[in-house]
Amino acid sequence: MFHNFYRSFLFSVLVLGFTACDQSSHSVEESKRYQFEKLFDIAYTPDTETGANGWFTDAGSWMGFTIPEKKEWVNGFCGPFSLDMNRRQWLAKSAVTVGFAGFGNDLFISDSTNYYPGEIYLSAHSANGRISQTLHFIDASNALLTIGTDENKALMFTGDQWCDEMEIKTNRNFVTARHPSGEIVLLTFGPDILVQESGNNYKAVGNGSNKETQVVISFFTSDKELAAGLQKSMNILNDQHICLLENEKRWNGYLTKVLRADMDPEYDRIAVKSVVTLISNWRTHRGGLLHEGVVPSHAVGYFVGFWAWDSWRFSAALAKFNPELAKNNIRAMFDYQLPDGMIVDCIYTDPSENNGRDSKPPLVCWAVDEIFTNTNDTAFVREMFPQLMAYYNWWYLKRDHNRNGKCEYGSTDGTLEAAAWESGMDNAIRFDDARMLKNNPFEDAWSMDQESIDLNAFLALESRLLKKFANMLDIPFEGADYSDKVADYFFDKNNRFFFDRRLADGKFIKEYGCEAYAPLWTKVATPDQVAQMLPLLEDTTKFSTYIPFPTVAADNPKYNPKGYWRGPIWLDQTYFAIRGLRNYGYSKKADEYTLQVFDRLQGLKDDAPIHENYDTHSGERLKAPHFSWSAAHLLMLYDDYGKVFNE
């Protein structure tokens, strides 16, 4: 009840504030975020037995927060937490806790908590009254905490358990908490709040005249950033209603662009969770990351960087609702393009950690084309075209061992490990017997001794799109084109399936796997080949499993339902198969398989995070939570559902 009242009150204030400051504005669109509640369970109080399973973060910020656990209640959002791969640490148990002034250790009991798109909420009560709190990110550096109460009592604020290395200082209405790493938390209070140091902490007390109070929580990585950000935090307090309205408009924009009027609400929820997952993994430029982009998962430290084929997928999904982020996500990877055209595997805030031993499958022209389709931005296509062309040509220069126009996955250091990474399918069964070959005369070019169907199908799509871009820009296409040779070369007529081929003798590597979905998705396969494959794809012992289209056929003796790329469901591959069927006129089947995914993945309709991969036979969540590429492909499945495509 209190939450509904407070929510309505806050939105009314936003509308009034906006109207007062901009009389020329059009009507304010009704908020969509409150149609989607309890999206994710991120309850975690630092220092308890269970580990955090994700953070609330937004707008590219490198700080995150959790909602306190009821059994270990703190009357404030927990954090901030530093989200960098090299600096994953709680900077405070709670930088801002709230109580009533003059009542000592007032015991608060949780009433309700919630996670909406772009907002977290909590409400708690003590013997002295009820307090509610909401948190919204205004930009990458600043989050606005709004506190409301139904009592005419002064509020008191203090930090709870700053990490040991933090040094806390106050100056007027600012609290500065410094870490030796250079990271700084700044708290900005309004002029009606009295702020004082209290040991290595602070205490701030209001005058009791306001039922609503705001605090800006800011996060910086240097004194230079702090100096530039001080004025911004004060401006946010002064223009709090406008800032909150902009947050509301931003999230309404995301949801309006993504949601369909003809879908069931339970599937709308999946789409919204996917959007929130992608946005929560958004990071602004920092250190060696020269442009903003999206990390695979903020919840897992080793995934806090930008990967090449991950980025292409994220940008393809973001193109519809945040195209500027999609563009910068691509630019970030091309910031490190090598002189020969290679795009390295992954990049980090610390460039010494970048992995240049391998690249990743070429899907970037697809992402650029999705951006163009949604924006008509020919300037971006023109900007990227020379770099896209150089990357495309690099594959034929340094990954075509026998110069027959069919490329192989490989590495710069000659290791099979890095070559498997280049495929993106690290431990795939099809690579079990692979060997490495030197691609003379280059010192940094090695190939596996097998040509891969998925790689060459992707290159065929890249070629088709590069020709489209060249024609659009009136620029010549100066590259090899073997796209018309891929389908027949890799299709085994006897076994009615696409396989990799061994370089030495041209024999098919007869492992039935997800790489065969790529020629359907890229429209490289002929209709007759797809028709021949269909009985295998529909076989419930192979590919038409409980969750459809695993990474290898489920009857393979080496199949392992928890074996990373040796059995589990990866939603990008499931998407390639389903969209591939749709491409060839099998729309009804594609819809049926889409609903199997939506209805059977554990926790997808509830408050569980979207995971890296899933068990084929149960839908059990596996590996990393809050996983961006799973979210990206769920959005694509949602957008495709019910549509009919012709080849």
Side-chain angles (χ1 to χ4, degrees):
M1 179 73 71
F2 183 74
H3 185 199
N4 291 335
F5 167 78
Y6 180 71
R7 188 173 71 194
S8 299
F9 171 75
L10 178 59
F11 189 69
S12 297
V13 169
L14 292 180
V15 174
L16 290 171
F18 184 76
T19 303
C21 295
D22 186 356
Q23 297 293 338
S24 65
S25 71
H26 298 291
S27 60
V28 178
E29 185 178 4
E30 183 180 355
S31 173
K32 287 182 171 60
R33 65 166 37 119
Y34 299 121
Q35 299 171 29
F36 303 97
E37 62 177 1
K38 297 189 180 297
L39 288 176
F40 297 110
D41 179 6
I42 57 165
Y44 177 70
T45 306
D47 299 328
T48 58
E49 295 179 0
T50 57
N53 190 30
W55 285 263
F56 172 67
T57 183
D58 184 12
S61 184
W62 288 90
M63 68 172 167
F65 299 84
T66 59
I67 296 171
E69 298 167 89
K70 289 188 177 182
K71 65 180 181 180
E72 296 287 343
W73 188 254
V74 178
N75 206 38
F77 296 110
C78 295
F81 181 85
S82 175
L83 290 166
D84 188 11
M85 181 180 77
N86 299 310
R87 284 281 312 120
R88 295 182 71 80
Q89 182 178 4
W90 289 97
L91 300 176
K93 187 173 186 177
S94 179
V96 183
T97 63
V98 188
F100 292 108
F103 292 96
N105 295 322
D106 207 3
L107 178 63
F108 279 84
I109 299 172
S110 171
D111 294 322
S112 65
T113 62
N114 221 316
Y115 189 141
Y116 301 104
E119 176 186 310
I120 51 176
Y121 167 89
L122 65 81
S123 174
H125 72 276
S126 72
N128 297 297
R130 181 175 283 110
I131 294 174
S132 69
Q133 301 178 55
T134 59
L135 191 65
H136 303 84
F137 277 84
I138 305 306
D139 56 29
S141 299
N142 299 283
L144 182 60
L145 175 64
T146 303
I147 305 103
T149 179
D150 53 2
E151 300 292 329
N152 291 314
K153 295 175 181 174
L155 297 176
M156 184 188 75
F157 309 87
T158 190
D160 188 342
Q161 294 186 30
W162 295 95
C163 75
D164 291 341
E165 300 94 338
M166 297 294 275
E167 181 183 21
I168 316 302
K169 297 293 182 182
T170 64
N171 180 17
R172 295 175 299 171
N173 287 76
F174 297 106
V175 177
T176 306
R178 296 176 180 273
H179 190 273
S181 67
E183 292 181 338
I184 301 167
V185 177
L186 174 72
L187 308 179
T188 306
F189 292 88
D192 58 331
I193 306 292
L194 176 64
V195 181
Q196 296 178 314
E197 286 186 27
S198 179
N200 194 37
N201 201 348
Y202 74 93
K203 184 169 77 171
V205 180
N207 58 23
S209 61
N210 296 322
K211 292 281 185 81
E212 183 180 283
T213 304
Q214 280 77 26
V215 183
V216 179
I217 305 174
S218 307
F219 180 71
F220 306 109
T221 60
S222 67
D223 281 305
K224 182 178 179 181
E225 286 186 9
L226 172 63
L230 279 170
Q231 186 62 48
K232 179 64 180 289
S233 69
M234 291 187 289
N235 290 343
I236 290 172
L237 277 188
N238 292 333
D239 298 327
Q240 58 194 254
H241 302 315
I242 298 299
C243 292
L244 288 172
L245 182 63
E246 288 302 316
N247 175 282
E248 189 86 31
K249 289 170 63 180
R250 175 165 62 89
W251 276 96
N252 269 355
Y254 296 158
L255 302 186
T256 298
K257 292 173 183 175
V258 165
L259 292 173
R260 298 171 51 173
D262 59 346
M263 293 292 275
D264 290 341
E266 60 183 345
Y267 302 135
D268 288 341
R269 180 175 175 84
I270 294 171
V272 172
K273 287 181 69 172
S274 298
V275 170
V276 172
T277 298
L278 286 164
I279 294 300
S280 70
N281 286 327
W282 170 13
R283 295 292 169 269
T284 193
H285 59 87
R286 177 176 178 177
L289 301 179
L290 306 181
H291 282 89
E292 63 182 349
V294 176
V295 303
S297 170
H298 72 270
V300 181
Y302 56 79
F303 272 141
V304 181
F306 299 160
W307 271 257
W309 79 327
D310 301 58
S311 294
W312 317 147
R313 300 165 191 280
F314 307 160
S315 291
L318 288 163
K320 189 166 189 174
F321 68 94
N322 194 339
E324 291 307 311
L325 175 56
K327 295 173 192 176
N328 286 328
N329 198 41
I330 291 172
R331 290 176 176 125
M333 293 305 307
F334 277 88
D335 285 333
Y336 287 90
Q337 186 171 30
L338 300 182
D340 63 0
M342 178 184 177
I343 296 297
V344 301
D345 178 15
C346 54
I347 60 176
Y348 299 98
T349 54
D350 179 357
S352 69
E353 300 284 343
N354 293 358
N355 177 36
R357 295 170 62 192
D358 54 272
S359 189
K360 273 291 188 284
L363 295 166
V364 64
C365 292
W366 164 54
V368 171
D369 189 53
E370 288 295 311
I371 292 170
F372 173 74
T373 298
N374 284 276
T375 65
N376 291 315
D377 187 352
T378 55
F380 178 67
V381 178
R382 186 178 298 276
E383 171 195 338
M384 296 305 305
F385 186 82
Q387 294 173 281
L388 297 174
M389 200 73 243
Y391 182 43
Y392 174 81
N393 286 329
W394 172 84
W395 285 96
Y396 292 99
L397 176 68
K398 294 196 171 179
R399 292 293 186 271
D400 182 3
H401 180 76
N402 60 3
R403 295 290 182 252
N404 70 339
K406 311 298 186 300
C407 292
E408 311 87 28
Y409 290 118
S411 62
T412 63
D413 62 3
T415 64
L416 181 59
E417 176 186 57
W421 289 350
E422 185 163 280
S423 77
M425 302 181 187
D426 306 8
N427 66 338
I429 292 171
R430 60 175 161 148
F431 301 138
D432 282 358
D433 298 319
R435 299 290 182 269
M436 296 302 293
L437 302 172
K438 184 78 164 56
N439 293 336
N440 292 323
F442 305 105
E443 292 300 320
D444 63 346
W446 297 73
S447 285
M448 288 188 192
D449 64 345
Q450 67 190 66
E451 297 159 328
S452 289
I453 172 57
D454 52 336
L455 171 58
N456 287 279
F458 295 149
L459 285 168
L461 175 61
E462 297 285 284
S463 171
R464 190 162 73 238
L465 293 173
L466 282 166
K467 288 179 180 178
K468 171 184 172 179
F469 300 157
N471 183 62
M472 177 197 314
L473 302 172
D474 195 22
I475 294 174
F477 171 82
E478 297 178 340
D481 180 12
Y482 302 97
S483 55
D484 61 341
K485 308 291 194 300
V486 173
D488 289 341
Y489 186 82
F490 288 100
F491 191 73
D492 182 349
K493 296 177 182 177
N494 294 326
N495 291 285
R496 298 169 295 136
F497 209 71
F498 288 101
F499 299 112
D500 286 7
R501 295 184 71 163
R502 193 71 68 194
L503 275 172
D505 54 16
K507 289 184 178 180
F508 290 109
I509 300 169
K510 297 176 185 177
E511 299 290 359
Y512 292 81
C514 61
E515 56 273 12
Y517 310 152
L520 280 67
W521 176 67
T522 58
K523 302 182 185 180
V524 164
T526 68
D528 181 62
Q529 289 170 340
V530 177
Q532 290 185 56
M533 290 177 66
L534 200 59
L536 292 171
L537 295 176
E538 292 187 303
D539 189 334
T540 57
T541 68
K542 295 182 182 295
F543 294 106
S544 188
T545 44
Y546 179 73
I547 309 296
F549 304 116
T551 43
V552 295
D555 60 354
N556 189 311
K558 295 181 179 180
Y559 172 86
N560 179 352
K562 293 181 172 60
Y564 213 54
W565 284 96
R566 303 174 78 86
I569 291 294
W570 286 77
L571 288 170
D572 64 321
Q573 301 302 310
T574 293
Y575 168 75
F576 286 161
I578 293 175
R579 177 59 186 260
L581 290 173
R582 201 179 295 281
N583 285 341
Y584 289 85
Y586 301 102
S587 296
K588 183 177 179 182
K589 295 181 186 296
D591 286 345
E592 291 170 355
Y593 284 128
T594 298
L595 293 185
Q596 283 181 232
V597 173
F598 287 173
D599 293 338
R600 295 177 178 179
L601 292 183
Q602 288 186 6
L604 194 58
K605 298 178 184 177
D606 302 319
D607 63 359
I610 295 169
H611 275 248
E612 182 177 1
N613 43 27
Y614 292 82
D615 188 292
T616 307
H617 299 301
S618 67
E620 176 190 352
R621 302 186 298 275
L622 305 174
K623 298 299 180 182
H626 302 279
F627 204 69
S628 292
W629 95 15
S630 296
H633 289 286
L634 286 170
L635 268 181
M636 295 174 200
L637 286 169
Y638 171 88
D639 193 53
D640 285 353
Y641 181 78
K643 296 180 179 177
V644 177
F645 300 117
N646 296 318
E647 187 192 1

